[in-house]
Amino acid sequence: MRHGSAVAAGVLGVLVLAGCRVEGVAGAGVSGDAKAPGGLGSPAPARTSPAPTATSPAPARTRPAPARTSSAPRTTAPRPSAPPRTTAPALPRKGQRTADVRALQARLWSLGFFRQRPTGYFGDVTARALAAFQRDRGLGASGVLDGATWARLRAAGPAPTKAELYPETTLPPGRPDPRCLSGRALCVSKKSRTLSWMVDGRVVSVMDVRFGSAYTPTRDGTFKVYWKSRDHVSTIYHTPMPYALFFSGGQAVHYSPDFAARGYAGASHGCVNVRDRAKVAALFDTVRTGDKVIVY
C-alpha cells in the first residue's frame, strides 16, 4: 500500500507539475481575468494591446511668410508697337494756299520759271510756270504737280532758304529812283510794284503795292505827305483806308483789305494800296508830314 501510495503520490505530483506547466503554456490562451492557484505567485498579467508606435507630432500649422517685395516699381517689358503707317504726302494742287505751294514756287523761281516771288497761292501763274518747267524737262505740260515732276524739281537744286520762301516783296525791288537817294522818301516803283521806305539813301523797309486801273490811274511824280489819317474812310467810295498817307489830292498810300485778299486781281481807285497791314502800320507811325513821295 505504501508502495502503491507512493507511486500514486508521485504520479499525482508529476501531474500537478505537469498541470502547472500546461497551465503556464495554456495561459497564453486564457483570459487575463483568470487567477493562478493560490500560493503559486502573482497572477498572470492581463494581455493588453501593443502600445502604439511613437510618432513625431504633426507640425503646427503656420501661415506662409509673405513674399518679399522690392520697393522698386515693377517694370514690364514694353510691347512692341506696330510700325507707323506711312503715306505719301499730298502734293500741292491748284486753288490751295499752303506752305508747300510756297516751296514749289520758290523752286520754280530759282530756276527762272516763276517770274515773281513766292506768295503761297497756287493759281494760274503758278500752273503756267509749272507747265513751262514740265515742258522744258520733257514731262508734258499739264501744269499739275505729280510725283515725277516733284522729284525732278527737288533734284534740280537745293531746298529754298527762309529768305527765298518768305521774301519781303512779290517782286524784287527795282533800283531806286535818284530822287529817293537823299532825305526821307517813300520810293514807289510801278515796275516792280514795290514801295521802299528810304532814309538818306538807305532802304529801311520794303512792301508790295498795287495801283489804280487804267480808268483811275495813280499819278507819277514827286509829292509830299500832307496829311495822315489812321482810320480814314473814303468819302467818295465809302471804303476803309486805314493808315492813309495822303500825297496828291485824294490819292494816298494806305492798307487795302481787298489787296490782302485778292492780290493783283484787283486795282485801286488811284491810291497806292499796301498788302501787309503790319508794315504799313509801322510806316504810318514813322513817316512825317512833309516827307517825300516819289512815284515812278
Side-chain angles (χ1 to χ4, degrees):
M1 283 300 288
R2 287 179 181 178
H3 177 74
S5 300
V7 171
V11 171
L12 180 61
V14 172
L15 289 172
V16 170
L17 292 174
C20 180
R21 289 178 181 158
V22 170
E23 182 183 9
V25 175
V30 177
S31 168
D33 290 337
K35 293 183 179 179
L40 293 181
S42 43
R47 284 201 165 202
T48 58
S49 58
T53 305
T55 58
S56 56
R61 291 184 180 179
T62 58
R63 293 183 179 179
R68 292 184 180 180
T69 58
S70 171
S71 59
R74 293 184 178 180
T75 57
T76 56
R79 295 182 179 178
S81 57
R85 295 180 179 179
T86 56
T87 56
L91 297 174
R93 62 181 184 273
K94 194 171 182 180
Q96 288 184 329
R97 186 185 298 277
T98 66
D100 289 336
V101 173
R102 187 177 291 275
L104 167 65
Q105 293 170 334
R107 288 183 180 275
L108 290 170
W109 178 81
S110 67
L111 297 172
F113 293 97
F114 194 62
R115 303 297 182 182
Q116 62 186 45
R117 307 293 284 276
T119 62
Y121 177 71
F122 197 142
D124 292 335
V125 175
T126 303
R128 286 194 295 268
L130 184 58
F133 172 81
Q134 291 172 324
R135 190 181 303 109
D136 184 74
R137 297 300 195 272
L139 298 171
S142 65
V144 176
L145 183 63
D146 53 26
T149 303
W150 184 234
R152 293 291 289 275
L153 271 170
R154 294 181 65 185
T161 64
K162 183 177 180 180
E164 291 171 336
L165 286 170
Y166 297 94
E168 292 188 276
T169 55
T170 302
L171 295 175
R175 178 176 295 181
D177 187 279
R179 292 170 291 179
C180 302
L181 298 178
S182 61
R184 298 160 59 90
L186 294 169
C187 197
V188 182
S189 169
K190 288 184 174 179
K191 182 177 181 180
S192 65
R193 295 184 293 190
T194 60
L195 182 155
S196 299
W197 167 236
M198 302 184 65
V199 177
D200 298 329
R202 181 177 60 89
V203 176
V204 177
S205 64
V206 292
M207 56 203 76
D208 284 333
V209 292
R210 73 177 183 182
F211 308 98
S213 66
Y215 301 100
T216 55
T218 303
R219 292 185 283 272
D220 295 347
T222 301
F223 310 94
K224 288 184 180 180
V225 175
Y226 70 88
W227 182 33
K228 295 172 59 174
S229 180
R230 185 181 296 272
D231 298 309
H232 194 78
V233 177
S234 171
T235 57
I236 301 174
Y237 303 103
H238 307 289
T239 54
M241 299 171 56
Y243 308 107
L245 300 168
F246 286 91
F247 61 88
S248 176
Q251 295 187 354
V253 174
H254 68 85
Y255 171 68
S256 169
D258 182 75
F259 184 24
R262 297 200 302 142
Y264 292 103
S268 74
H269 295 105
C271 289
V272 177
N273 289 166
V274 180
R275 175 156 47 192
D276 192 316
R277 185 184 186 101
K279 284 187 175 182
V280 74
L283 185 68
F284 183 90
D285 291 338
T286 303
V287 171
R288 309 167 188 162
T289 56
D291 288 341
K292 290 187 297 184
V293 179
I294 311 297
V295 182
Y296 62 101

